[in-house]
Amino acid sequence: MPSAKDEHDSSYRRNIWNVFKLNNWILGLIGIWPVTIRGIGRHAYKIAIAVCNFTFSFALVPCALHIIYDQKDIIIRLKIGGLLIFGFAAMIKYCILAIRRPKIHRCIEYMKSDWWQVTFKSDRKVMLKFAAISRNLTMIGASFMYTAGIIYYLILIPFFFEHKVNNQTVRPLVFPIYSKFHQFQISPIYEIVYAAHCMCGYIIYSVTSGTYGLAALFATHACGQIEIIVSRLEDLLSGESWKQSSKIHQRIAAIVKDHVRVVRFTIVVEEVLQEVCLVEFISSICTICLLEYACIVDWQQDNKFGLATYSLFLVSFCFNLYILCYIGELLMEKSSHIGYICYMINWYQLSPKSTRSLILIIAIGSHPIKISAGGMVDLSLLTFGSVLKTSMAYLSFLRTLVM
């Protein structure tokens, strides 16, 4: 018969696997997710980071040269420009995540420690609920992103962008190449370049999905810890969710300790995500605007397949940005709820000394925890609305300028 310790270990390993598996799958292959490997394998992430950066450069630099020197059609320039902005933004985010990899590992260790220390079934149920929210948001966002990418890379590019120049068939590539590199049409060079572009696309979509997945993972975990603290506050007087031997001042001390731990965790999360969110915030405005413009152009040209693909990209971008802003809003709402609960409990039944101890919790709770874009813009649903409004304003200006 298994002991209580064995059951706890088994439950811990199962929960950790369920919580981290999606992020591990998305970020593990590109070297961002910390993996404990002994021996020479512990340097595998360095090789993955080097390969990914080389792939980014191999695909994006010739594409930028093509737009600058070769392409004269303004509409095609804008369509390719949206792809290029998306790619360079993903490259910058990838470099930031690679630099912040030790802090990502620190956040993961925070989470593992919280899961190891959980003892009450009600606490585990709360943590599993928020882990499921994170998993569902990541799964839906990644599904949209990868589906749009597969359609664009494997169907739209090979079958709809092929054309003839001087009676010679020009086979298309995902990222157009500068004309000076004319050897790419020769087999097997074309197949190798196309495969490298597809690999670059996979990395781009993995970085984008992984960024939102990390934000959802860390923010929802913090929300779960805050909800546990709130439940402790609500039972502060009755002591139903506490050890019966604990006294009021011990309960308050435990609440403050847990609250400080959550605040420290979110500070590290903010350090990991603030530059990534800033890049995402700026690039989303441009990318969403250009995708809207591409949809309008394909609508006018009756290009139904192109319209469907760009619309899927647009929905994917908007949904992923919504995820980022939603979890920022959720974190602010949950963290500000602590101060409210402190006031709403029957604090007047406590001794004056114990009551004074709640003042600090209320004071900290009046400054909700936030995730910001570079410390300049707080991520919230209001921010999401502002991004959409700004992209529409740029779209109106673009249509006036080009059409």
Side-chain angles (χ1 to χ4, degrees):
M1 185 175 180
S3 64
K5 184 179 184 301
D6 292 336
E7 290 182 359
H8 181 268
D9 291 348
S10 176
S11 175
Y12 167 77
R13 286 193 296 270
R14 185 172 59 253
N15 291 332
I16 287 297
W17 167 246
N18 289 330
V19 169
F20 291 146
K21 63 181 178 181
L22 267 181
N23 300 87
N24 190 5
W25 289 342
I26 293 173
L27 294 174
L29 289 177
I30 59 176
I32 298 300
W33 189 262
V35 180
T36 304
I37 303 176
R38 295 179 180 178
I40 194 170
R42 69 181 185 273
H43 300 294
Y45 78 93
K46 297 178 182 178
I47 299 172
I49 290 172
V51 170
C52 290
N53 280 315
F54 173 77
T55 307
F56 273 125
S57 302
F58 180 82
L60 298 179
V61 173
C63 181
L65 293 174
H66 171 80
I67 293 176
I68 296 170
Y69 295 110
D70 293 340
Q71 190 55 249
K72 305 302 179 185
D73 190 323
I74 186 65
I75 293 178
I76 298 178
R77 267 190 172 185
L78 290 172
K79 282 188 174 183
I80 301 174
L83 178 65
L84 192 63
I85 291 172
F86 178 39
F88 273 117
M91 184 177 180
I92 295 170
K93 288 186 290 185
Y94 182 75
C95 292
I96 294 171
L97 290 175
I99 294 170
R100 298 297 186 190
R101 193 172 179 274
K103 291 187 181 295
I104 294 174
H105 184 261
R106 186 177 168 191
C107 291
I108 292 171
E109 291 302 318
Y110 260 103
M111 292 181 63
K112 287 182 177 179
S113 178
D114 288 337
W115 278 100
W116 178 258
Q117 293 174 13
V118 65
T119 53
F120 296 104
K121 289 184 177 180
S122 58
D123 295 347
R124 182 176 286 106
K125 188 180 293 186
V126 169
M127 293 171 70
L128 287 172
K129 180 184 77 172
F130 281 95
I133 293 173
S134 168
R135 189 165 55 250
N136 292 337
L137 290 175
T138 304
M139 190 181 301
I140 295 171
S143 299
F144 272 120
M145 187 62 65
Y146 284 120
T147 301
I150 290 171
I151 293 173
Y152 182 77
Y153 280 53
L154 301 182
I155 300 177
L156 187 65
I157 294 293
F159 295 103
F160 289 87
F161 284 178
E162 191 175 272
H163 60 282
K164 290 183 178 293
V165 177
N166 297 328
N167 293 325
Q168 290 185 345
T169 300
V170 177
R171 293 181 290 181
L173 290 167
V174 178
F175 298 92
I177 288 183
Y178 184 39
S179 60
K180 297 295 183 181
F181 308 141
H182 56 275
Q183 299 295 325
F184 72 88
Q185 286 290 320
I186 303 172
S187 295
I189 297 176
Y190 172 80
E191 286 76 12
I192 294 172
V193 172
Y194 193 87
H197 284 189
C198 289
M199 181 179 175
C200 180
Y202 168 76
I203 297 169
I204 288 173
Y205 299 132
S206 295
V207 170
T208 305
S209 303
T211 299
Y212 297 116
L214 272 184
L217 176 70
F218 295 152
T220 52
H221 178 76
C223 290
Q225 296 304 300
I226 290 171
E227 188 157 311
I228 290 172
I229 292 172
V230 168
S231 68
R232 295 280 193 274
L233 280 169
E234 291 173 338
D235 293 333
L236 181 62
L237 295 175
S238 63
E240 293 178 1
S241 61
W242 298 85
K243 295 178 181 178
Q244 295 302 316
S245 60
S246 63
K247 298 180 180 178
I248 287 292
H249 69 275
Q250 293 175 327
R251 299 172 191 171
I252 294 176
I255 288 172
V256 172
K257 181 181 177 181
D258 291 342
H259 192 201
V260 169
R261 180 175 174 81
V262 173
V263 172
R264 287 175 177 169
F265 171 71
T266 55
I267 288 173
V268 181
V269 172
E270 171 78 3
E271 292 174 355
V272 170
L273 296 176
Q274 62 175 348
E275 294 97 343
V276 173
C277 291
L278 179 61
V279 174
E280 189 63 38
F281 181 78
I282 296 172
S283 64
S284 292
I285 294 175
C286 300
T287 308
I288 290 174
C289 171
L290 292 173
L291 283 172
E292 290 167 342
Y293 179 76
C295 289
I296 292 173
V297 170
D298 284 348
W299 176 280
Q300 293 175 341
Q301 296 176 353
D302 199 27
N303 183 359
K304 296 179 181 178
F305 199 87
L307 175 62
T309 304
Y310 286 120
S311 298
L312 187 58
F313 269 120
L314 181 60
V315 171
S316 176
F317 271 96
C318 291
F319 182 79
N320 283 332
L321 184 62
Y322 174 79
I323 290 175
L324 208 57
C325 294
Y326 169 75
I327 60 177
E329 182 84 19
L330 183 66
L331 189 58
M332 282 194 291
E333 180 184 339
K334 288 290 183 182
S335 59
S336 62
H337 196 56
I338 292 179
Y340 173 78
I341 292 297
C342 273
Y343 183 77
M344 294 304 294
I345 64 174
N346 297 334
W347 52 267
Y348 44 82
Q349 295 180 5
L350 300 173
S351 65
K353 184 178 180 180
S354 299
T355 304
R356 284 195 297 270
S357 301
L358 296 177
I359 295 175
L360 182 60
I361 303 176
I362 296 174
I364 298 298
S366 63
H367 299 281
I369 300 168
K370 300 176 181 179
I371 299 176
S372 66
M376 294 185 288
V377 181
D378 295 330
L379 295 181
S380 64
L381 295 181
L382 184 63
T383 304
F384 176 71
S386 299
V387 171
L388 294 185
K389 289 178 183 177
T390 306
S391 67
M392 291 300 293
Y394 283 135
L395 174 64
S396 178
F397 173 76
L398 190 61
R399 290 190 64 192
T400 304
L401 187 67
V402 176
M403 293 185 170

